[in-house]
Amino acid sequence: MSSFPNPPRLARIARGDTPVPDDGGVRERAERRRRREAWDARRYRSALVPIIREVLAALDARADDGAPLPPDVLDRILRRHPRDGAGLFSRSELIEGCRALAREEAFAADVERFARGVRRKRVRTLSGVAPVTVFTPPFPCPGRCVFCPNDVRMPKSYLAAEPGAQRAADHGFDPYRQTWSRLAAFRATGHATDKVEVIVLGGTWSSHPEAYRRGFVARVFDAISDFGEGIDRRAAAAANGAAEPSLPLDDAAACDALGTGRYNRAVRARARRRAAAGEGAVASWDDVAAAHARNESAPARCVGLSFETRPDLVTPDEIRRLRRLGATKVQLGVQSLDDDVLRASARGHDVATTHRAIALLRAAGFKIQLHWMPNLPGATAASDARDAGRLFADPRVRPDELKVYPCVLVESAELAALYARGAWHPYERDDLVEVLVAALASAPRWCRVTRVIRDISSDDIAAGNKETNLRETAERELARRGLRASDIRAREVRGERVDAAELRALETRYATSTGDEVFLELVDERDAIAGFLRLHLPSAEAPAPEELVGSAVVRELHVYGEAQPLGRVAPTAVQHRGLGGRLLERAAALARESGYGSLAVISAVGTRAYYRARGFADGALYQHRSLST
């Protein structure tokens, strides 16, 4: 009998000890999608039209334009007009019905107002953009980290039960279908989709063949542009061989992949077969440039693009490739700032490599999001609390964003062997909360702590934390001690009213290994942040790309509040009120005062036109504005 208290689930399945699980909900989701796509709004005209008219009337009576109806108000309207005389219409059915019947029923001008009024999960676009996460397919990983899951149905470090990974598998990891379908889901629930932030996940991006990376990105941009123009090529994408065949849960390879070596062997064989057959998304740099050029003026535009990689794969050449793809942010898995912990975890690089990667990325203008993992082998709660402090106290680190992923035991990870012999154990809950309190208390106002717990199903966690709301627990503990989190996420205006004329400007300057950073922000009387700009004032020794030598660099410009359609100004909205221009002008003045002759910006493809209108000219990989006049 195994000394591990819960023998690995995949191994149990391989031995036949337990019944094979179901397909993880793939068939159920496919059936829901089929019903949604086959839904005929005109069949329900007699019920839908009164609902639409009553919702519009209720919205007319409300003063706060753009806010959805309170749930109880909408619920009363729906109950007066049930679907088929019994059940209630879903919000996506209401929105699709409004769009389908708009011209016939003379409320075409009110479609988007109706959609905003009935939508749910408004929080999804309260950061000012529609975030679209897409996954690359399973592919060999250069790392051998003991904590990493080894599920060959998924890209390295991800699990089949994670919602985003499930959606990716449903679409065969095809970049076009993932992107288009996610935008369709946003639109169906009433969200603006013309400003899109693309987040590419899936193991180590930089380990994929360059031709595949080019093809993946080109197809993502094609999907965004097509969606904005009302073109749907998903059927063609499904037929052209770009999709990755899904593996069922009882697949023999999946059951056998208990370790990085086995994982890599299994997925490498599949990758070679597909490459030999000429399958998968591949493209030239000219194809990427053409997809970018089209998206610059498309109705839906990419305003941010991020990839995740390892510190030891960040090089000047890789940075140039990332910029040519249109990247503006890099998610970097640093995991720990302690060399002993990195060695015990078989991470494969040291802290000095992390410092070099951060310096290269910052000097090139990228926004930097670090992944930090407390409770790794060799760490203690006390050492992790100190590590949290180093994230921001050390000028060689100081990330713009942070994800905190406490280590948990997933059954296919090699960490299982350490756990079995007592060489690793999860922290007690109080110790883990103390570490999270230290991380939140250390995070300065210029950093955004994006996430504190990873979205792993409790069924996949053999040992370790299963609570998903530990961030709230840590924030309550901070409050009990008379403190509060001051990071960006804790202070976003989100959907609240803001008077743009009363916002005050704050400037925070701090040192980094490549020069000074100035964090410019616009806040209200509560210190809620409505917009910010990150300005890099590089030192002469910074390892900057040649194009940026002698320039100050705008690494990020962001206005918060609910995402607004291009060209629309809602009375209570924060976006489209000149806040970005106000921040840019202050950045230009600071750069000029600091002796720089030009101001560069690491613009996204979809924001190039915005910067051109504000005096920036296109360069090879950046946009530039002269400060000489």
Side-chain angles (χ1 to χ4, degrees):
M1 179 179 291
S2 168
S3 59
F4 186 69
N6 295 303
R9 183 176 300 111
L10 296 179
R12 292 201 306 266
I13 295 171
R15 292 197 304 268
D17 293 345
T18 59
V20 174
D22 62 22
D23 65 355
V26 172
R27 286 187 292 269
E28 180 183 351
R29 292 194 299 277
E31 176 60 21
R32 287 201 304 267
R33 187 162 57 247
R34 185 197 65 76
R35 289 199 305 266
R36 186 167 61 248
E37 292 173 352
W39 191 69
D40 182 6
R42 287 172 177 79
R43 173 185 169 190
Y44 300 99
R45 181 195 301 269
S46 61
L48 284 171
V49 171
I51 291 174
I52 294 167
R53 297 197 185 284
E54 288 190 36
V55 166
L56 291 173
L59 291 172
D60 288 339
R62 293 175 59 83
D64 47 341
D65 178 66
L69 286 180
D72 59 328
V73 174
L74 180 59
D75 186 66
R76 285 195 296 271
I77 295 174
L78 294 179
R79 291 186 182 282
R80 285 197 290 271
H81 308 281
R83 175 177 175 169
D84 293 326
L88 303 182
F89 290 99
S90 70
R91 284 165 170 78
S92 59
E93 288 171 341
L94 293 175
I95 293 168
E96 181 57 33
C98 183
R99 290 183 174 130
L101 302 172
R103 290 189 178 181
E104 301 169 22
E105 299 294 338
F107 40 71
D110 296 311
V111 171
E112 295 311 314
R113 185 165 66 98
F114 176 85
R116 292 192 301 273
V118 301
R119 71 192 179 286
R120 182 180 284 170
K121 295 186 178 178
R122 187 186 183 196
V123 68
R124 286 177 174 169
T125 52
L126 281 180
S127 289
V129 295
V132 171
T133 300
V134 294
F135 282 77
T136 55
F139 195 78
C141 180
R144 300 192 63 88
C145 312
V146 300
F147 51 79
C148 201
N150 292 284
D151 184 341
V152 300
R153 299 161 298 172
M154 290 290 134
K156 194 71 163 70
S157 86
Y158 290 92
L159 294 160
E162 294 181 81
Q166 286 182 352
R167 288 193 297 267
D170 288 350
H171 296 292
F173 296 97
D174 177 73
Y176 184 98
R177 290 163 57 196
Q178 290 185 69
T179 305
W180 206 103
S181 298
R182 194 64 182 137
L183 288 172
F186 273 121
R187 184 175 185 270
T189 49
H191 296 274
T193 55
D194 47 358
K195 289 179 288 189
V196 183
E197 180 185 18
V198 177
I199 303 155
V200 181
L201 301 180
T204 303
W205 169 259
S206 304
S207 68
H208 285 270
E210 184 177 307
Y212 179 81
R213 285 181 272 168
R214 294 193 299 256
F216 193 97
V217 169
R219 295 300 288 152
V220 166
F221 276 90
D222 287 343
I224 297 172
S225 298
D226 278 359
F227 183 84
E229 295 170 6
I231 302 169
D232 184 355
R233 304 184 209 267
R234 284 178 295 174
N240 71 3
E244 181 79 14
S246 296
L247 291 177
L249 287 184
D250 60 347
D251 184 276
C255 296
D256 204 29
L258 301 177
T260 300
R262 293 180 180 179
Y263 175 93
N264 283 350
R265 285 194 295 273
V267 299
R268 183 179 291 114
R270 290 160 58 200
R272 286 174 176 167
R273 287 196 300 270
R274 287 172 54 74
E279 298 176 342
V282 295
S284 68
W285 283 114
D286 287 343
D287 295 328
V288 174
H292 284 178
R294 179 187 174 203
N295 189 249
E296 282 187 25
S297 57
R301 302 175 194 173
C302 178
V303 299
L305 174 61
S306 72
F307 301 97
E308 59 179 356
T309 192
R310 293 168 52 93
D312 49 342
L313 295 184
V314 175
T315 65
D317 286 343
E318 178 63 2
I319 280 176
R320 180 172 177 81
R321 282 188 288 268
L322 289 169
R323 274 308 293 149
R324 292 185 73 181
L325 292 171
T328 55
K329 178 169 77 173
V330 171
Q331 298 191 44
L332 200 62
V334 305
Q335 318 310 355
S336 175
L337 298 177
D338 184 316
D339 279 335
D340 291 337
V341 172
L342 292 175
R343 278 192 293 272
S345 303
R347 179 60 181 163
H349 65 78
D350 59 10
V351 177
T353 302
T354 293
H355 292 160
R356 285 194 294 271
I358 292 172
L360 286 169
L361 290 168
R362 193 188 306 277
F366 288 97
K367 182 167 66 172
I368 302 166
Q369 182 182 86
L370 299 188
H371 296 185
W372 180 66
M373 185 175 287
N375 201 179
L376 286 172
T380 66
S383 71
D384 277 334
R386 292 192 296 271
D387 215 39
R390 282 193 290 268
L391 287 166
F392 303 107
D394 190 338
R396 297 169 296 180
V397 189
R398 293 185 169 167
D400 307 304
E401 296 186 355
L402 180 69
K403 286 184 176 179
V404 181
Y405 290 149
C407 182
V408 296
L409 176 59
V410 175
E411 292 176 337
S412 62
E414 295 176 46
L415 185 63
L418 298 181
Y419 182 80
R421 63 174 185 261
W424 177 87
H425 60 84
Y427 292 160
E428 295 294 332
R429 181 181 184 277
D430 289 349
D431 289 337
L432 179 56
V433 169
E434 194 64 32
V435 171
L436 299 183
V437 166
L440 290 175
S442 299
R445 61 189 301 112
W446 41 262
C447 179
R448 187 176 196 270
V449 182
T450 307
R451 179 166 290 188
V452 168
I453 299 294
R454 183 168 162 182
D455 192 10
I456 295 178
S457 168
S458 60
D459 291 338
D460 285 319
I461 298 174
N465 172 68
K466 296 186 179 184
E467 292 185 46
T468 59
N469 66 337
L470 276 188
R471 180 181 190 129
E472 290 78 7
T473 301
E475 288 176 343
R476 286 195 299 271
E477 178 59 22
L478 273 175
R480 190 187 69 79
R481 300 178 188 185
L483 304 171
R484 61 175 290 239
S486 60
D487 74 292
I488 294 172
R489 187 180 183 275
R491 298 186 297 116
E492 294 173 16
V493 294
R494 303 177 79 79
E496 300 169 14
R497 286 173 170 268
V498 170
D499 186 340
E502 294 184 2
L503 294 173
R504 58 193 175 97
L506 296 180
E507 299 176 11
T508 305
R509 187 180 291 243
Y510 57 97
T512 73
S513 62
T514 58
D516 284 349
E517 290 281 337
V518 184
F519 183 67
L520 308 173
E521 55 183 320
L522 297 173
V523 300
D524 66 10
E525 71 281 357
R526 303 161 299 169
D527 200 31
I529 183 169
F532 67 85
L533 183 149
R534 300 184 189 277
L535 176 65
H536 186 50
L537 303 174
S539 64
E541 298 77 25
E546 184 177 351
E547 187 177 336
L548 295 181
V549 173
S551 292
V553 185
V554 174
R555 296 195 301 115
E556 183 180 12
L557 173 61
H558 195 111
V559 176
Y560 279 111
E562 185 174 350
Q564 298 295 314
L566 290 169
R568 177 181 180 271
V569 181
T572 60
V574 179
Q575 292 194 338
H576 305 174
R577 294 191 170 278
L579 302 187
R582 179 177 166 186
L583 289 164
L584 273 176
E585 290 309 311
R586 179 55 183 158
L590 283 171
R592 188 182 297 111
E593 293 167 8
S594 300
Y596 296 91
S598 65
L599 180 64
V601 59
I602 184 169
S603 52
V605 169
T607 62
R608 289 173 182 170
Y610 173 87
Y611 288 108
R612 289 183 195 125
R614 285 152 184 81
F616 288 80
D618 294 351
L621 299 175
Y622 301 84
Q623 290 180 288
H624 306 266
R625 174 177 163 182
S626 173
L627 300 176
S628 59
T629 57

